[in-house]
Amino acid sequence: MFEQRSSRKVGLVGTGMVGSSFAYALMQRGIAGELVLVNDVVDRAIGEMMDLNHGLSFTKPMRIIAGDYPDLAGANVVVVTAGTAQRPGESRLNLLTRNAEIFRSIVPKIVRYNPEGIILIATNPVDILTYISLKESKLPPAKVIGSGTILDTSRFRFLLGQYYGVDPRSVHAYIVGEHGDSEIPLWSLANIGGVRLQEFAPLKHKKYNHEDMNALFVSVRDAAYEIIKRKGATYYAIGLGLLSIVEAILGNYRSVLSVSTLMTGQYGVTDMCLSLPCVVGANGIEEVLTLPMSKEEEEGFCQSAEKLKSTFASLP
């Protein structure tokens, strides 16, 4: 018999910088009753458990333990950040062969002990690893989610907010497709407070400049490379992005988030995981939204899918 599902139990497989950043954010937000930390180096999980537990007098009560895969039983969602790190100058897709082997070991163990839970993948290249996790788990597509372009979308909104001098929470814009070099900015739908950028720019005594916008997108697309070059890894922002997805699941918020999921014919794309805005709730992916993209954006999305399919096909 598997443990009865808690309404607020979260598992974490991988307690490196991304995993520990997520765990710290989760503890501070106070939305989970229990967090189980699993890591191949057990002492690392124990150390993170001790450090987090020592801060519980400053937060809402919760149970934080270092465990193994059987301890994941009953979790609503298991977040997977395990895998080898991206090296300076290395593309996300070059990570694939190394991390695919790791995931083919991890995912079946998660499902063995927690067959009803949602799996949330953060390891890069996240879209293909989400696809591999879906195949290995044999779970419904709604229950295997990749963090996808949630971080790229946040970077996009931050830089647009900075450029136009507004709170990034008032910016509504998405990055879709691959979480990587072929990702697509949806300029045709980007707006601030419901006002398209072309109309908003004059309100800030600016011109809508295509060169500036393209440079801004390049900064979004290449942000990870720039951060890795300077500090070795990115982890704070993606930790918060994972928190937003987990919060939507635990609270059944039905939040619209740009996450990676299996395409089933959207824009003609099938049999690969990519990011589109999705409604996320207690059941995982509740709905995949198809947006009125421009012709160029739709073509870019399809090209992004073909690139991922080609890369997946090259796996040993």
Side-chain angles (χ1 to χ4, degrees):
M1 293 290 293
F2 291 101
E3 178 183 325
Q4 184 176 358
R5 189 164 310 283
S6 163
S7 62
R8 298 191 303 135
K9 181 174 179 179
V10 177
L12 173 64
V13 178
T15 57
M17 293 306 298
V18 172
S20 57
S21 295
F22 161 72
Y24 182 54
L26 182 74
M27 182 182 79
Q28 287 185 304
R29 189 65 59 90
I31 58 172
E34 183 175 0
L35 174 63
V36 178
L37 306 175
V38 177
N39 198 71
D40 62 337
V41 179
V42 176
D43 274 351
R44 175 63 189 250
I46 293 172
E48 294 293 347
M49 173 196 71
M50 294 172 65
D51 202 3
L52 292 168
N53 277 328
H54 296 164
L56 283 177
S57 66
F58 306 119
T59 68
K60 292 182 180 179
M62 67 181 295
R63 180 173 182 248
I64 304 173
I65 66 167
D68 205 344
Y69 289 92
D71 300 299
L72 299 174
N76 285 78
V77 55
V78 175
V79 180
V80 184
T81 65
T84 57
Q86 189 174 5
R87 297 163 179 165
E90 181 181 34
S91 75
R92 294 181 179 97
L93 294 178
N94 287 340
L95 289 168
L96 178 56
T97 301
R98 293 186 289 147
N99 282 335
E101 184 176 353
I102 293 170
F103 269 65
R104 286 175 173 141
S105 169
I106 287 174
V107 172
K109 289 188 282 188
I110 295 172
V111 177
R112 185 185 313 156
Y113 295 105
N114 193 40
E116 302 298 324
I118 293 166
I119 301 177
L120 173 57
I121 308 299
T123 309
N124 283 319
V126 68
D127 300 293
I128 296 177
L129 290 178
T130 301
Y131 182 77
I132 289 172
S133 299
L134 177 63
K135 298 300 182 183
E136 293 290 329
S137 70
K138 299 180 174 60
L139 291 174
K143 291 202 166 188
V144 180
I145 307 172
S147 57
T149 59
I150 194 165
L151 176 55
D152 311 88
T153 291
S154 182
R155 289 167 173 158
F156 194 33
R157 293 176 178 181
F158 166 74
L159 290 174
L160 283 170
Q162 192 175 53
Y163 183 89
Y164 288 105
V166 299
D167 184 341
R169 293 173 298 179
S170 297
V171 179
H172 306 284
Y174 291 105
I175 301 289
V176 299
E178 177 201 2
H179 170 54
D181 297 339
S182 69
E183 64 191 31
I184 305 299
L186 297 186
W187 292 114
S188 64
L189 298 175
N191 68 85
I192 297 173
V195 181
R196 295 291 175 88
L197 299 183
Q198 292 89 334
E199 286 78 42
F200 189 88
L203 302 178
K204 303 294 289 187
H205 307 292
K206 291 177 177 285
K207 290 185 177 180
Y208 183 76
N209 186 298
H210 290 283
E211 288 75 18
D212 286 352
M213 293 299 96
N214 186 61
L216 186 148
F217 165 65
V218 170
S219 296
V220 171
R221 186 193 64 200
D222 296 345
Y225 301 126
E226 294 299 321
I227 295 169
I228 289 168
K229 182 169 68 177
R230 288 165 171 81
K231 58 176 276 187
T234 71
Y235 36 86
Y236 294 134
I238 186 56
L240 289 168
L242 293 170
L243 175 65
S244 70
I245 300 169
V246 169
E247 192 169 26
I249 293 168
L250 295 182
N252 194 25
Y253 289 167
R254 295 183 59 83
S255 302
V256 177
L257 303 169
S258 57
V259 292
S260 187
T261 187
L262 182 69
M263 295 293 104
T264 57
Q266 293 84 355
Y267 311 102
V269 176
T270 59
D271 202 34
M272 182 46 67
C273 293
L274 290 91
S275 285
L276 283 175
C278 298
V279 178
V280 181
N283 297 313
I285 302 290
E286 308 274 359
E287 186 177 356
V288 181
L289 303 181
T290 50
L291 308 175
M293 297 185 193
S294 70
K295 182 180 178 181
E296 291 77 13
E297 291 164 351
E298 189 172 331
E299 288 174 352
F301 182 82
C302 293
Q303 290 169 6
S304 188
E306 288 305 313
K307 175 185 175 184
L308 289 170
K309 286 185 177 185
S310 174
T311 304
F312 176 75
S314 68
L315 267 175

